[in-house]
Amino acid sequence: MNKVLISVLGSDQPGIMAKVASVIKQHNGNIENLSQTLLDTVFGALLRVELAADDSAEKLQEALSHSFAGLDLFVRVHPWNESTTDWHQHKPETQPYIVTAIGPDRQGLVAEMATALFEHGVNITNIQAIFKGGKNPMDNLMVFEVDVPRSTVMDALRDALADIAQRLDLEISVQHRKIFESVSNILN
Amino acid sequence: MLSSKDIISTLQMVREENLDLRTVTIGINLTDCVSDDIKTFKRKIYDKITRTAGQLVATCQRIERRYGIEVANKRISVSPIAVVGAPFNADQMVEIALTLDKAAIELGVDFVGGFGALVEKGMSAGDRALIDSIPQALTESQRVCSSVNVASTRAGLNMDAIKRMGMVIKEAAEMTAKDDGLAAAKLVVFSNIPQDVPFMAGAYLGIGEADAVVSVGVSGPGVVKAALERAMNEEEGLDLSRAADVIKQTAARLTRAGELVGREVAQILGLPFGIVDLSLAPTPNENDSVGEIFEAIGLPAIGAPGSTAFLAMLNDAVKKGGAFASSHVGGLSGAFIPVCEDLSIAGSAKNGTLSLEKLEAMTAVCSVGLDMIALPGDTSAEMISAIIADEMAIGVINKKTTAARLIPAPGKQAGDHVVFGGLLGEGPVMKVNLGNQENRFVRLGGRIPAPIQSLVN
């Protein structure tokens, strides 16, 4: 077991994944899983890699840094011992909900929402933000995909979010994910 | 992960386009309450209804919160009272209506339907008593709705019943003269009535149905209009084939939302799930109008030439989308064109773009019929029967459901304005050709035979 986590961040351009994967291949490493995303023009990738027995995070970091020299990218290699948090070890039974906040962007919005969700035992699985400005409410929207444990009192969570909505002049709704799925996925 | 497009379009449907679950309706079979003692019968039906639907309102409220979709109405439909209350006379039928009303108030449901009779071929004593009691029953009760099926493709038209219904409608309107004839707005005459309609005033539980069953009525003319408008703005060269596709897909999405909620309510209540009825049923609000869809597609107004063709396409596309999205689509499923419940249709009727005759033509291709139409108060009972007969004939010959909900508003003339309030809305009194004259055709009575099913042209 010689695993590492690799993060790659920076301006998007062709060839980033090709470079990362080629260096890993040269080191006889194996990519076990990966995910990449784009935030406007910013690229971000996360890879979990099994290294050869005689290799190390430091050596791979050196090789990747060398390969990316001159490109405006941040690469970090972290040793990874597969330890999991309490949440994963004792994951409660959850229901998937979608929390949406309609209204203009403002400082502290994510902090307030995320803290309220955390205080009610809710885990955020994905956040999407759409802030295009203007008057169309659908152009000023934050979407939190969350897992809500059975122990969470929904009314208390709704009250906490309603309080934020009032203070920050937002329209917040909490809807079970199934309604979005059944309306969107006609072919399933 | 859901795409932001999916999330936004669902949010839009709920927030801006008036997607609502118009009704969750529990159908309750009352055949096991039968008794020839009125007190026993009343006690039994009250107990069964309040026991079976006791948790309906609370459950719907729970589901509303869970999915963020409003369940606008909670309703009950029961076995035809003329059948289960067959031993009783007209006065006792009124008592039964008031018992249904009391149960509805106790449960907090909006309407209870099924105070009706099926008389397409002939009338039993129970049917006769019930029909005689309708004016008083609908005047004294608040939440009871009545439907009478007077024709079917297999039986033809029962003209004796149609003749009688003209008088009943007139009497019901006159007994509620101070409310513009409100009682008649809770009464609908049908041909080929489906057994599982969740919408009022036609809801009842057919004899072939389960002991209790949950059905859902979904509406959303605003959603269809918005989808059409978006497609027309965004897609160059959009033609009617593509417009039909847009309507179909929108209908499928609406139906999915309805089925999800219906199944969940049924599961919580421990009852079987019946059907989804996706009907574009307007309310008297902007952005919740069927007439506005006609304007969105490019007609000057509903009632203009082209309206029947577009309505045919709209009704068919709604049915196709619904049938694809759910295996159990039932009820009326299609587009309603009620005059007083729809701001745009009422507007066209008021300014003369839409006449009673054009409406009748359009009902040949819509999902129901002449709906929520206020007539001059001096329209004769015979002429009301004749309008019903015309409408029933369209249904019988075309093997479809048609209905007539006509309100001869006492003291009002063509062009006057009537107000029924709430979902029933308001609108103009429509002109009836030769409306105050006698009609000896109707007076002949008897039956118009069932139509031949071959030689189709």
Side-chain angles (χ1 to χ4, degrees):
Chain A
M1 287 277 284
N2 186 10
K3 294 196 182 191
V4 292
L5 291 181
I6 304 170
S7 63
V8 186
L9 300 171
S11 263
D12 189 33
Q13 55 197 291
I16 302 175
M17 278 319 262
K19 279 196 164 61
V20 177
S22 300
V23 172
I24 294 169
K25 183 176 167 230
Q26 283 158 17
H27 280 244
N28 291 320
N30 181 39
I31 299 173
E32 292 182 337
N33 205 352
L34 78 169
S35 172
Q36 79 158 61
T37 188
L38 274 180
L39 189 65
D40 299 322
T41 59
V42 177
F43 172 93
L46 181 62
L47 301 92
R48 191 178 70 221
V49 173
E50 169 89 52
L51 292 181
D54 57 350
D55 206 351
S56 72
E58 292 76 23
K59 284 184 197 163
L60 187 62
Q61 173 79 58
E62 203 177 315
L64 283 168
S65 299
H66 180 71
S67 169
F68 281 125
L71 296 174
D72 197 13
L73 289 166
F74 309 98
V75 188
R76 285 295 306 273
V77 183
H78 314 260
W80 179 244
N81 63 4
E82 297 231 44
S83 67
T84 51
T85 57
D86 239 26
W87 168 266
H88 282 287
Q89 277 167 18
H90 309 283
K91 197 172 176 184
E93 200 184 321
T94 59
Q95 287 283 327
Y97 277 80
I98 306 284
V99 180
T100 51
I102 296 173
D105 187 19
R106 63 180 69 215
Q107 209 178 2
L109 190 156
V110 177
E112 293 251 14
M113 298 275 294
T115 304
L117 292 168
F118 169 62
E119 283 170 356
H120 289 84
V122 176
N123 189 38
I124 299 172
T125 56
N126 191 34
I127 304 184
Q128 301 177 61
I130 300 157
F131 290 117
K132 296 182 189 164
K135 286 206 170 139
N136 182 353
M138 293 304 150
D139 286 343
N140 297 283
L141 176 67
M142 281 219 71
V143 179
F144 298 75
E145 293 180 45
V146 300
D147 283 340
V148 181
R150 196 173 274 267
S151 58
T152 297
V153 182
M154 285 307 289
D155 283 344
L157 173 63
R158 285 177 202 278
D159 287 348
L161 293 173
D163 180 53
I164 296 174
Q166 204 186 5
R167 275 188 290 113
L168 301 187
D169 195 20
L170 297 168
E171 188 185 312
I172 295 178
S173 63
V174 183
Q175 290 163 279
H176 197 282
R177 184 187 171 95
K178 266 198 275 182
I179 188 70
F180 294 91
E181 286 172 345
S182 57
V183 170
S184 304
N185 305 340
I186 302 302
L187 295 170
N188 63 4
Chain B
M1 196 175 102
L2 287 160
S3 80
S4 56
K5 197 174 147 221
D6 292 340
I7 290 172
I8 287 174
S9 69
T10 305
L11 276 180
Q12 261 172 339
M13 285 163 74
V14 178
R15 280 185 79 248
E16 294 163 20
E17 297 159 7
N18 289 313
L19 160 67
D20 62 21
L21 294 184
R22 181 55 52 78
T23 176
V24 173
T25 304
I26 298 192
I28 303 174
N29 187 321
L30 298 182
T31 50
D32 56 350
C33 301
V34 169
S35 167
D36 59 1
D37 176 67
I38 185 70
K39 275 193 186 146
T40 309
F41 181 69
K42 278 163 51 182
R43 178 177 49 76
K44 280 182 159 181
I45 62 171
Y46 183 85
D47 288 351
K48 180 155 187 191
I49 292 169
T50 49
R51 190 176 64 240
T52 311
Q55 292 304 311
L56 173 63
V57 173
T59 304
C60 287
Q61 285 166 348
R62 194 170 135 193
I63 298 296
E64 277 178 338
R65 276 200 302 273
R66 190 174 167 88
Y67 293 118
I69 289 191
E70 189 191 356
V71 179
N73 279 266
K74 295 90 184 169
R75 296 171 176 170
I76 290 167
S77 64
V78 297
S79 312
I81 293 295
V83 175
V84 290
F88 303 117
N89 64 31
D91 289 340
Q92 291 167 321
M93 289 291 186
V94 174
E95 286 184 49
I96 295 168
L98 294 175
T99 305
L100 295 174
D101 203 39
K102 194 173 137 200
I105 291 166
E106 161 73 23
L107 293 172
V109 300
D110 303 281
F111 282 116
V112 51
F115 189 74
L118 306 167
V119 295
E120 60 268 25
K121 210 162 172 193
M123 270 193 223
S124 68
D127 296 326
R128 207 174 301 278
L130 183 122
I131 288 171
D132 289 347
S133 78
I134 287 175
Q136 197 184 343
L138 296 187
T139 300
E140 292 184 11
S141 65
Q142 297 165 22
R143 305 188 187 188
V144 174
C145 288
S146 180
S147 59
V148 179
N149 193 64
V150 295
S152 76
T153 300
R154 286 188 180 276
L157 281 76
N158 181 348
M159 289 300 291
D160 290 324
I162 290 173
K163 185 170 72 175
R164 180 77 187 103
M165 287 314 295
M167 293 185 242
V168 168
I169 288 169
K170 187 99 176 144
E171 207 183 318
E174 278 164 4
M175 286 179 79
T176 44
K178 66 175 173 33
D179 297 317
D180 288 337
L182 177 65
K186 297 183 282 182
L187 168 61
V188 58
V189 182
F190 270 95
S191 80
N192 294 322
I193 189 171
Q195 300 210 356
D196 51 11
V197 189
F199 284 97
M200 293 295 169
Y204 86 103
L205 187 75
I207 295 298
E209 298 277 330
D211 192 52
V213 61
V214 175
S215 290
V216 172
V218 195
S219 184
V223 180
V224 173
K225 179 191 139 200
L228 266 183
E229 281 177 343
R230 259 197 303 277
M232 291 175 79
N233 286 334
E234 290 167 11
E235 297 178 26
E236 223 170 293
L238 175 140
D239 65 1
L240 288 170
S241 304
R242 173 69 190 131
D245 264 348
V246 170
I247 297 168
K248 225 163 52 175
Q249 285 166 8
T250 308
R253 302 177 61 174
L254 292 168
T255 304
R256 278 303 186 86
E259 180 160 5
L260 172 69
V261 171
R263 284 195 182 278
E264 199 139 325
V265 171
Q267 192 191 12
I268 293 173
L269 294 176
L271 298 174
F273 174 68
I275 54 102
V276 186
D277 181 340
L278 170 60
S279 285
L280 301 183
T283 61
N285 297 299
E286 266 179 42
N287 261 334
D288 205 13
S289 153
V290 171
E292 287 172 3
I293 303 175
F294 285 64
E295 291 160 32
I297 198 74
L299 288 159
I302 185 168
S307 297
T308 310
F310 176 63
L311 180 57
M313 172 181 135
L314 174 67
N315 199 45
D316 181 65
V318 167
K319 285 180 197 292
K320 284 173 178 164
F324 177 72
S326 168
S327 294
H328 298 292
V329 172
L332 299 165
S333 286
F336 294 175
I337 46 169
V339 175
C340 286
E341 293 175 349
D342 187 305
L343 287 184
S344 160
I345 301 180
S348 272
K350 191 176 173 63
N351 66 27
T353 309
L354 184 61
S355 66
L356 190 59
E357 290 73 21
K358 180 66 178 176
L359 261 176
E360 184 186 313
M362 289 170 70
T363 63
V365 298
C366 82
S367 71
V368 199
L370 292 173
D371 197 9
M372 284 305 292
I373 298 175
L375 306 175
D378 66 355
T379 313
S380 69
E382 283 178 353
M383 279 299 183
I384 293 172
S385 295
I387 297 170
I388 295 171
D390 285 344
E391 187 59 27
M392 299 301 110
I394 290 172
V396 165
I397 297 296
N398 294 305
K399 307 178 188 71
K400 76 184 283 292
T401 301
T402 51
R405 185 156 46 146
L406 308 169
I407 307 113
K412 297 287 168 99
Q413 293 171 349
D416 287 354
H417 192 78
V418 289
V419 179
F420 301 112
L423 269 187
L424 299 171
E426 56 190 278
V429 175
M430 296 187 77
K431 180 173 177 287
V432 181
N433 272 336
L434 311 176
N436 56 5
Q437 299 198 10
E438 62 174 20
N439 192 316
R440 286 187 292 133
F441 163 73
V442 165
R443 216 177 294 162
L444 292 173
R447 289 161 51 201
I448 294 181
I452 189 166
Q453 300 295 323
S454 64
L455 308 175
V456 187
N457 41 26

